Amino acid sequence: MRLKPYTEIGIKRKKCFRCGGQAVFQWQICSDDNQYRPICLKCDIELNGMVLKWAGFNNWEKKLNEYKDKVSH
């Protein structure tokens, strides 16, 4: 169980918890005992899109596209 955030170097040594791709970010959620889970860029973008829609943002697509531009460079 990982309860401490990964370092910038450490996360690059991990595979995505969801798909097995190269991890670049990390995610945690209360219902998963606040464990830090490594995730890749593709899964991070998908997760952000789901949350923006779930939260009811009218402009979720615009927000997601801006986020994609920000993290993809």
Side-chain angles (χ1 to χ4, degrees):
M1 183 181 292
R2 178 80 184 196
L3 298 177
K4 260 178 78 174
Y6 291 96
T7 63
E8 189 173 333
I9 292 170
I11 197 70
K12 293 177 183 174
R13 296 180 181 146
K14 296 294 184 180
K15 298 293 181 196
C16 179
F17 175 76
R18 181 171 181 250
C19 75
Q22 179 60 54
V24 292
F25 295 115
Q26 52 194 312
W27 176 71
Q28 77 176 146
I29 188 169
C30 301
S31 59
D32 187 32
D33 297 323
N34 288 314
Q35 293 183 70
Y36 283 89
R37 302 287 186 174
I39 58 174
C40 68
L41 179 61
K42 181 179 180 268
C43 289
D44 175 72
I45 289 170
E46 189 174 330
L47 178 60
N48 274 274
M50 289 186 330
V51 172
L52 287 168
K53 285 191 275 187
W54 171 86
F57 285 92
N58 292 329
N59 61 342
W60 71 268
E61 289 174 294
K62 180 180 185 284
K63 284 185 167 294
L64 186 59
N65 285 329
E66 289 170 353
Y67 180 67
K68 284 182 197 177
D69 288 344
K70 179 180 170 184
V71 297
S72 296
H73 293 99

